[in-house]
Amino acid sequence: MDSTIVSTGTEGKTWGGGNQPLKSSYGKMMMWFFIVSDALTFSGFLAAYGFSRFKFIDYWPIADEVFTHVPFLHGQELPMIYVAFMTFVLIMSSVTMVLAVDAGHEMKKNKVIWYMFFTIIGGAIFVGSQAWEWATFIKGDYGAIQTNGGNILQFGEYKTVDGDLIFKRVAVEEFTTASETERVQHENKNGLWFVGESALPVFSVDDVYHGLESHPSILVRTQTINEDGEKTVLSREASLSQVKDNGKRYVKGANLEVNEYGAPLFADFFFFITGFHGFHVLSGVVINIIIFFNVIIGTYERRKNYEMVEKVGLYWHFVDLVWVFVFTFFYLV
Amino acid sequence: MANHAHKLEIFRGLIKFKSNTQKIWGVLLLLSIITAVEVVLGIYKPISLMTPSMTPFEGGFGALLCNIIFSGFIYMKSLNLLFIVLTIVKAYYIAWDFMHLRDETKALRRLVVWTTIFLISYLIFILLQEAGYIESVYTNGFIKRDF
């Protein structure tokens, strides 16, 4: 055995090995490396969002008008409230996580268990809220007409609220009745088995035009943002001619192809970035559950340190950190 | 690990907490206040903050340099600038106190922070710059969009 040990004469010197200049364990260092690279991934996505938004800076949807819903408060416009709640839940679960790490440093197993439990609950609430937010966004609320050029025409009328004349959105369903149509959805089972199409729109453009004609107070609002930072409302004549000349199809809600709130790119980035973040939260919850059970069966008690809790905690805080930026760039700015 | 040392001051020593747990709750309070301010400003959008706070400098190379240095004040609505600053403040406290960067060595801290800041700044600069150019082509070039 002696022959395999080589003495280099550099032991204890700076380059002799065994140094820990960063005074951090291997596992924690690797978690930091991962976090840095993941932060760059997210910033790539958010910068791409900024790129698209700057390209269409005068046509981009206003987030306050898109995300106005709160569960159980149907029909009320409460921008920001629900997403603020989600942000608070995530920050709160970050706090319970850091408290779990702190309890781990003091080797208090029961405290770690309880704090990790609350962290997991917070994460679950957040993912659930995000699913609800997606569902609401996909479902849509007012409906709109998409033009041949891909622009969105929304509808509304001026109403006096508390002495101020403000533009109130009107759902297309409220003024339009669907006409008889012979066109049926082409499904794979009826025709060529490899050809199908998605569900047909409820209304044709003509239906919407007739509805608009018979309701003189309703006007069209375009995507263009004016000097006051509001979407432009057209005159009655322009409204009618826009729908008649340029209307292509009725759209409701948002998906990867159309978006009743404006540019489809907005929906694409929303689904991709919040989806990617939501996936991080979901995997964070799963990793948290694994560590949670490890704490319960006493793995770290026997190991005599709770560094694993600290490492998963780093990941969990990172997810929170990313949300802080997503919140700003999707909902605030 | 039991005697793991934590730095307990925030605001450069202005506030010093008695224990790490207390510091965590203090930071939570700070983050909650910042978020509440953001939400309130986001809902009410005060008119005074809806325009940039400075007008562009005119003439010469010095003016160009000043426009670059103060670009956040010149080309951005004050409200948006405020949101971004508040976000970075929040990010700082999450990283420093929740992720314990305050307790790590200076080298690790710089390794993490400066790498990301450098690369992200470059990415943002190049993408937003080009997007502005494309926007100008869409607006001023012969591209029909209203149909």
Side-chain angles (χ1 to χ4, degrees):
Chain A
M1 287 294 281
D2 279 358
S3 60
T4 58
I5 298 168
V6 180
S7 178
T8 57
T10 54
E11 291 83 8
K13 295 206 167 114
T14 308
W15 298 103
N19 274 334
Q20 285 200 330
L22 300 174
K23 296 188 181 60
S24 179
S25 71
Y26 173 80
K28 254 165 82 176
M29 283 296 299
M30 290 304 119
M31 185 49 93
W32 272 113
F33 282 9
F34 167 73
I35 286 173
V36 168
S37 63
D38 214 24
L40 294 173
T41 309
F42 269 108
S43 57
F45 294 153
L46 280 174
Y49 172 78
F51 177 79
S52 297
R53 185 173 171 167
F54 271 47
K55 251 167 85 178
F56 302 112
I57 195 78
D58 294 332
Y59 303 89
W60 205 247
I62 298 169
D64 274 6
E65 295 174 358
V66 180
F67 307 104
T68 60
H69 307 270
V70 175
F72 311 119
L73 297 175
H74 190 71
Q76 296 187 44
E77 289 201 3
L78 300 163
M80 307 273 301
I81 301 294
Y82 194 53
V83 74
F85 163 78
M86 283 165 68
T87 309
F88 187 71
V89 166
L90 206 57
I91 290 179
M92 206 55 223
S93 82
S94 235
V95 168
T96 53
M97 187 77 235
V98 73
L99 287 169
V101 173
D102 191 60
H105 284 159
E106 292 162 14
M107 302 294 287
K108 291 176 181 157
K109 183 179 161 185
N110 281 324
K111 264 183 142 177
V112 180
I113 291 172
W114 276 108
Y115 283 133
M116 287 218 62
F117 177 73
F118 292 131
T119 308
I120 291 164
I121 297 296
I125 293 175
F126 182 85
V127 176
S129 302
Q130 209 164 43
W132 185 88
E133 185 105 331
W134 271 47
T136 316
F137 185 55
I138 291 168
K139 186 162 153 271
D141 39 5
Y142 295 108
I145 287 288
Q146 192 184 30
T147 68
N148 292 317
N151 296 327
I152 287 293
L153 306 174
Q154 301 171 326
F155 302 91
E157 58 189 338
Y158 281 107
K159 277 189 183 146
T160 316
V161 180
D162 303 331
D164 291 322
L165 199 61
I166 55 166
F167 189 76
K168 275 278 190 195
R169 296 287 307 283
V170 175
V172 173
E173 285 139 17
E174 281 176 38
F175 63 87
T176 306
T177 38
S179 58
E180 279 294 315
T181 173
E182 291 180 359
R183 177 88 165 74
V184 283
Q185 186 186 350
H186 182 137
E187 290 172 285
N188 294 34
K189 62 178 183 189
N190 295 336
L192 299 169
W193 60 270
F194 53 87
V195 181
E197 66 178 359
S198 48
L200 297 170
V202 190
F203 306 119
S204 70
V205 175
D206 279 341
D207 294 343
V208 179
Y209 179 70
H210 291 313
L212 187 61
E213 240 180 349
S214 52
H215 290 75
S217 63
I218 294 176
L219 301 169
V220 161
R221 196 174 76 151
T222 65
Q223 279 174 268
T224 317
I225 298 172
N226 60 21
E227 295 87 32
D228 305 327
E230 286 164 3
K231 300 278 180 183
T232 313
V233 179
L234 298 178
S235 68
R236 178 73 186 157
E237 297 76 52
S239 297
L240 285 167
S241 73
Q242 270 286 343
V243 174
K244 194 174 178 61
D245 302 338
N246 300 332
K248 189 180 159 205
R249 61 169 163 170
Y250 166 72
V251 292
K252 187 166 186 225
N255 51 47
L256 292 176
E257 189 202 351
V258 292
N259 171 14
E260 70 154 81
Y261 302 101
L265 266 177
F266 177 82
D268 298 346
F269 275 109
F270 177 77
F271 288 129
F272 194 75
I273 295 177
T274 63
F276 200 70
H277 176 265
F279 181 69
H280 272 75
V281 180
L282 182 71
S283 53
V285 169
V286 171
I287 299 167
N288 267 332
I289 289 173
I290 295 169
I291 303 297
F292 173 67
F293 282 115
N294 273 341
V295 176
I296 290 181
I297 61 175
T299 309
Y300 309 122
E301 203 68 27
R302 284 194 296 281
R303 214 180 266 181
K304 295 203 171 38
N305 79 66
Y306 278 84
E307 204 189 73
M308 212 61 204
V309 178
E310 200 172 337
K311 280 180 267 192
V312 70
L314 279 179
Y315 179 69
W316 191 250
H317 299 310
F318 169 70
V319 169
D320 182 28
L321 186 69
V322 169
W323 180 254
V324 165
F325 282 91
V326 172
F327 173 63
T328 300
F329 291 112
F330 260 97
Y331 297 92
L332 290 175
V333 170
Chain B
M1 294 290 273
N3 52 0
H4 196 89
H6 289 288
K7 290 183 184 147
L8 298 173
E9 323 72 9
I10 65 170
F11 295 140
R12 302 203 162 266
L14 199 64
I15 300 177
K16 190 166 181 357
F17 293 104
K18 288 192 185 73
S19 69
N20 194 38
T21 327
Q22 205 186 26
K23 184 180 83 169
I24 293 163
W25 290 111
V27 171
L28 169 70
L29 185 70
L30 181 72
L31 294 180
S32 306
I33 291 171
I34 295 175
T35 310
V37 168
E38 283 181 336
V39 170
V40 169
L41 285 176
I43 291 172
Y44 291 104
K45 294 193 173 161
I47 296 165
S48 55
L49 293 174
M50 292 306 281
T51 44
S53 54
M54 289 166 79
T55 46
F57 295 93
E58 307 247 346
F61 183 67
L64 179 74
L65 272 183
C66 288
N67 280 342
I68 292 170
I69 293 165
F70 296 107
S71 55
F73 297 95
I74 294 171
Y75 301 109
M76 210 187 268
K77 285 177 193 159
S78 304
L79 188 65
N80 287 354
L81 182 67
L82 189 65
F83 282 149
I84 290 170
V85 170
L86 289 177
T87 304
I88 291 169
V89 170
K90 276 205 281 188
Y92 171 85
Y93 283 102
I94 290 172
W96 253 243
D97 290 310
F98 289 175
M99 300 171 97
H100 298 300
L101 270 184
R102 209 186 282 279
D103 304 326
E104 301 291 354
T105 57
K106 211 176 243 176
L108 177 57
R109 214 153 56 207
R110 288 178 178 172
L111 197 79
V112 170
V113 175
W114 288 118
T115 313
T116 42
I117 286 186
F118 170 72
L119 290 170
I120 292 171
S121 313
Y122 175 69
L123 186 69
I124 290 172
F125 160 70
I126 209 80
L127 283 183
L128 296 192
Q129 181 70 21
E130 287 305 296
Y133 168 70
I134 295 174
E135 196 268 337
S136 75
V137 172
Y138 278 165
T139 310
N140 308 320
F142 299 96
I143 291 173
K144 187 174 164 61
R145 200 191 266 166
D146 183 28
F147 65 96

